[in-house]
Amino acid sequence: MFSIFEKKAGASAAPADILWTYHGKSFIVGEAFEPAVGSKVAAFDLDQTLIKVNGKHKWPKNADDWVWWAPGVPAHLKEVAKKGYTLVVITNQNGLDGNVKKQQEMRLKFEKICGQLQLPMWILISMQKDHNRKPMTGLWHWLETRFIEHGVEIDRNDSYYVGDAAGRHDGWKVGAIKDFNNTDRKFAASLDIEFHTPEHFFLDQPCPDHKWSFGGFDPKKWPKNVPLFSPTSTPLLPASGTCEVIVFCGYPASGKSSFAKKHILSTGQYEYVNQDTLKSREKCVKAVEESLKSSKAVVVDNTNPDVPTRAPYIALAKKYNVPVRCFLFVADKDLATHNNYFRAFHRPLTEAAERVKGGAADKTSVSTTATMMTTTTTTTTTTNISATASENTSGSDSSSASDAGPSSTTTAVSKQAVTVTKFRDEPSRERLSEMVFASYAKRYQEPTLQEGFTEIKRINFVPDDDIRSSWERWYF
C-alpha cells in the first residue's frame, strides 16, 4: 500500500455513537459506550480541564476547534477507568438553551472527544441558569438518582471532581493569572467531595492552599450572633395604636418582604404597600395617603434606593403630622444575590436531594423528572419583637427564617389578609436578573435623618437554624 493510504499517527478517530437524552430545557445527558454505574465517580469539567481551544483565541469556533488540555489527558483518564472509577463530565455551557445549532455542535464535539478516548463515559451538560448549573448540585443529584435506579449508591468519600474554576489568585504559580471563577471548587465543596485542579490532577503540580479563595462572600462564615436590628435602645415598633410611616430601603432579596410579614404585619396594626403588587410608585403614594387619612400606620415595602424615591412618603408623614422611620436592610449586593439564587433554586435542589435519599432507602425506581405537589395548612400566630438574633433570627426574603418552617401563617391585617408562607411550602420564586441589582447599586443613596426621618433602624440578615445548612450551600 502506498503511504498516502496509511492512517497517520494521531489522526482523528471516527466520532463515537453517543445516546443523547434531553431533560426539558435544563440539561442534556450523553451516554458514551454504554457507561456502567459505579460507587466511585471521577467527575471532570470540560473546557480548560479536559480540552482547550486550538489556538490563542478564547472561544471555540466549531466542533473541531479543540485539543487536549495536556498531552497526557487521554492516558490519565484510561488509568482512572482501570482503577474502577466511573467517568463523568459535568459542564456548564452558556448559549445552548433554545439554540439547536449550538446544541448539535456541542454533541458533535463530545462525539469526537469520545471517539478518541474510546472510554465509557457519562456526559451531563447544563444549558440554563437553574439548579442544575454549577456550583449548584442538581446534575450530581440526578446522577445519584440514576445510579440508585440500578442499585448503586455513589460513595462521595471515594469520588472527586476536577475543574479549572478554582478561585486561584493572580500569581498562584509563576506567570499565572487569577481564575475566571471558583464555581468548580464551590460545586465540590457543596457536595463535600474531593476537589482537584487540572494542574494538580494531570500534571502533579502543587496546589497551594493559601493562593485561592471563595471570594468576598462566604455563606458559611455569615455571622450568627448579631441583633435583628439596631439601635436596640428603642423598640422595633411603637406602642399599639401609634400611627406612623415605615419606609423600607434595601436591595431586592435583602429580606424586606419576609421581615414585614413576620415582624410588622403580624401585629395587625399596619397597612401594607408594595409596588410589586400595586405596579406603580404613584399608586403606592396614593395608598399611603389613604391609610394616613384613616389614621392607620403603614409600611412601604419597596427598595426605595434614593432620596427622590423616598421623599413623597416623608412629605406625606409631615402632612399628616406622624413619625416616619426608615428601615435600612444592610444586606450588600453579594448577600442579596445569594438570597436571589437561594429562593429561586433551594426548593428544586432540596427535592432532588430528597429523591436521592428516598431511592437509597428503598432501592426502588425513582422518577428523574418529578413534579412535586405539596399541601399546606395555615395557623394564626402573633410575633413578639426582640432585637436579639437568638429570639428572632429572621432578616431575609423567602430565603429567611420566616419562610423556613413546616407550615404557613395567616394573619389578619386591617382590611386584608396577609399570608406568611414558610419557604418549603411555597413555589420557587423567579430569579432576578443581575441588571436589577446593578440598577439598585447605581441609584443607591444611603438614608439620612436630614431627609426628614425621625429614626433609621438598620436591619440585619440572619437565616434561621433549620434552613442554615441549605442556605450555606453555594448557589452562584
Side-chain angles (χ1 to χ4, degrees):
M1 296 287 292
F2 293 101
S3 59
I4 60 172
F5 297 114
E6 295 176 358
K7 187 176 181 179
K8 303 285 185 181
S12 297
D17 289 329
I18 298 178
L19 174 63
W20 296 104
T21 55
Y22 277 70
H23 295 257
K25 296 180 179 180
S26 180
F27 65 101
I28 308 172
V29 173
E31 299 175 53
F33 301 107
E34 299 181 352
V37 298
S39 61
K40 298 193 304 181
V41 168
F44 300 85
D45 186 26
L46 177 64
D47 300 304
Q48 300 302 317
T49 299
L50 298 182
I51 64 171
K52 60 184 179 182
V53 296
N54 188 14
K56 295 183 179 180
H57 50 286
K58 187 174 183 180
W59 307 112
K61 299 175 181 178
N62 51 51
D64 293 304
D65 186 13
W66 65 273
V67 293
W68 295 111
W69 179 79
V73 167
H76 206 125
L77 293 177
K78 291 175 182 177
E79 286 299 315
V80 170
K82 285 182 181 179
K83 292 178 181 178
Y85 284 90
T86 299
L87 297 180
V88 178
V89 174
I90 301 177
T91 176
N92 295 343
Q93 294 293 329
N94 290 326
L96 294 192
D97 177 31
N99 192 320
V100 175
K101 181 178 179 180
K102 286 189 175 181
Q103 293 171 13
Q104 293 172 341
E105 191 172 90
M106 180 57 61
R107 294 199 306 267
L108 179 57
K109 178 184 287 188
F110 269 108
E111 289 162 7
K112 291 174 178 289
I113 291 169
C114 292
Q116 289 198 25
L117 279 177
Q118 295 291 305
L119 290 173
M121 179 182 291
W122 292 87
I123 301 162
L124 282 68
I125 306 171
S126 169
M127 295 189 292
Q128 280 195 340
K129 284 189 175 181
D130 61 8
H131 67 288
N132 292 314
R133 183 179 180 83
K134 295 180 298 181
M136 289 177 279
T137 52
L139 287 183
W140 181 275
H141 298 316
W142 180 90
L143 192 73
E144 286 180 317
T145 302
R146 181 70 178 269
F147 281 26
I148 286 172
E149 289 177 346
H150 293 84
V152 175
E153 292 183 50
I154 296 176
D155 187 344
R156 296 190 189 183
N157 292 325
D158 276 341
S159 302
Y160 54 81
Y161 188 76
V162 182
D164 66 303
R168 291 168 290 187
H169 304 154
D170 274 325
W172 62 268
K173 71 174 182 179
V174 177
I177 61 173
K178 69 176 182 179
D179 290 336
F180 76 101
N181 213 322
N182 48 26
T183 50
D184 289 333
R185 192 185 293 271
K186 288 176 177 178
F187 176 74
S190 288
L191 292 169
D192 198 22
I193 61 176
E194 191 174 5
F195 175 75
H196 302 283
T197 63
E199 290 80 3
H200 180 251
F201 188 80
F202 291 114
L203 305 179
D204 201 27
Q205 293 180 358
C207 184
D209 289 338
H210 64 287
K211 293 186 177 181
W212 65 269
S213 74
F214 284 127
F217 173 77
D218 186 343
K220 289 183 172 58
K221 296 180 179 179
W222 194 253
K224 299 180 180 179
N225 300 315
V226 294
L228 180 64
F229 60 87
S230 64
T232 58
S233 55
T234 57
L236 182 70
L237 299 180
S240 177
T242 301
C243 182
E244 69 165 345
V245 178
I246 297 176
V247 178
F248 283 0
C249 175
Y251 269 105
S254 61
K256 300 183 300 299
S257 297
S258 292
F259 186 92
K261 292 173 184 177
K262 182 173 184 180
H263 297 300
I264 300 176
L265 302 183
S266 59
T267 67
Q269 300 294 315
Y270 286 77
E271 295 286 354
Y272 182 64
V273 172
N274 175 261
Q275 191 165 318
D276 289 342
T277 302
L278 297 179
K279 304 304 180 184
S280 74
R281 191 196 315 174
E282 292 73 18
K283 290 182 178 180
C284 290
V285 174
K286 182 179 179 181
V288 170
E289 182 158 24
E290 289 176 351
S291 295
L292 296 180
K293 283 181 180 178
S294 303
S295 299
K296 293 179 179 178
V298 60
V299 56
V300 183
D301 175 18
N302 298 332
T303 58
N304 298 314
D306 52 23
V307 173
T309 305
R310 299 186 289 262
Y313 306 114
I314 298 172
L316 282 174
K318 290 181 178 179
K319 177 180 178 180
Y320 290 89
N321 196 28
V322 299
V324 54
R325 297 189 296 153
C326 177
F327 281 15
L328 175 59
F329 290 76
V330 298
D332 62 12
K333 183 179 179 181
D334 286 339
L335 172 58
T337 302
H338 178 83
N339 286 345
N340 178 36
Y341 276 77
F342 176 86
R343 68 188 191 181
F345 302 126
H346 162 65
R347 184 185 182 96
L349 275 177
T350 300
E351 291 171 350
E354 289 301 316
R355 286 196 293 271
V356 174
K357 292 179 182 178
D362 57 23
K363 298 291 185 181
T364 59
S365 178
V366 181
S367 172
T368 61
T369 55
T371 300
M372 304 298 291
M373 298 293 291
T374 58
T375 302
T376 64
T377 57
T378 58
T379 58
T380 300
T381 64
T382 302
T383 303
N384 294 319
I385 306 300
S386 169
T388 59
S390 61
E391 293 173 298
N392 248 323
T393 56
S394 174
S396 68
D397 280 342
S398 293
S399 53
S400 75
S402 60
D403 294 318
S407 65
S408 62
T409 305
T410 302
T411 305
V413 179
S414 300
K415 298 178 182 178
Q416 60 182 335
V418 177
T419 301
V420 182
T421 307
K422 300 299 185 180
F423 182 83
R424 297 189 188 93
D425 292 334
E426 70 175 9
S428 298
R429 296 175 65 174
E430 183 178 355
R431 181 185 65 86
L432 300 175
S433 72
E434 283 76 6
M435 291 181 60
V436 173
F437 297 89
S439 175
Y440 177 88
K442 185 176 181 179
R443 294 177 56 193
Y444 177 68
Q445 295 172 308
E446 185 170 347
T448 65
L449 294 176
Q450 286 70 32
E451 292 178 54
F453 290 116
T454 52
E455 183 185 34
I456 296 175
K457 281 201 178 294
R458 300 175 69 84
I459 309 300
N460 293 312
F461 174 85
V462 183
D464 273 356
D465 289 339
D466 63 342
I467 62 164
R468 182 123 195 171
S469 60
S470 295
W471 183 84
E472 287 178 348
R473 293 165 62 91
W474 295 106
Y475 290 88
F476 76 103

